[in-house]
Every structure is written in C-alpha cells, then in structure tokens.
Amino acid sequence: MVNASQIKPNTPVVCSKNGQFAVVDHMEGSDLIKLNKDDSGQHHYIPLSWVKSVDDKVHVDRTGEEAMRDWSTEPKKS
C-alpha cells in the first residue's frame, strides 16, 4: 500500500496506460489527493486507494478516462 507521505505537490499523475491526466496539488487529509486546477479552473480529488505506486509520478490503477469520469470536484466527507 502507498503511504500518503509519498505523494508530493507538483507530481504528475498518470493513468494505467502511463498517460498524464493531472498534477498533484497536495494531500487533503490522509486519504484524498487534491489535484491542480484544470483548464477551466476546477480542482478535482482522487482517493489514495486508486494509487498503485509512486516514483517520479503518481501511478493510478485505471485509465485516464475512468479516472476523470470518477474523480470528484468536492472533497468527500468521511
């Protein structure tokens, strides 16, 4: 399992096909990644549970299309 401390600001986020679809803004709590604003000025959030590994990029376990379909625009309340 990936540790939240491995997720650093300005790290590219890539899909299962290694295509970049976002950049990390910062961790929001211990299990949510806030992404930099997109071209329309909107932040998005993805759960840490999607992350399968971290090196110079954050690698998620789904395609970019799936990730962008399923990400949220508001932090989820636990």
Side-chain angles (χ1 to χ4, degrees), residues 13-53:
V13 182
V14 296
C15 69
S16 58
K17 297 179 180 178
N18 209 33
Q20 181 178 332
F21 68 92
V23 175
V24 174
D25 189 305
H26 65 271
M27 284 298 299
E28 186 96 356
S30 62
D31 61 354
L32 198 61
I33 302 169
K34 183 176 184 178
L35 304 175
N36 282 347
K37 291 180 180 178
D38 62 18
D39 292 339
S40 63
Q42 177 68 57
H43 283 287
H44 293 94
Y45 299 84
I46 61 171
L48 184 62
S49 62
W50 289 6
V51 179
K52 63 179 187 175
S53 65

Side-chain angles (χ1 to χ4, degrees), residues 12 14-15 18 50-61:
V14 296
C15 69
N18 209 33
W50 289 6
V51 179
K52 63 179 187 175
S53 65
V54 178
D55 46 32
D56 60 330
K57 300 173 185 162
V58 174
H59 300 265
V60 300
D61 63 359

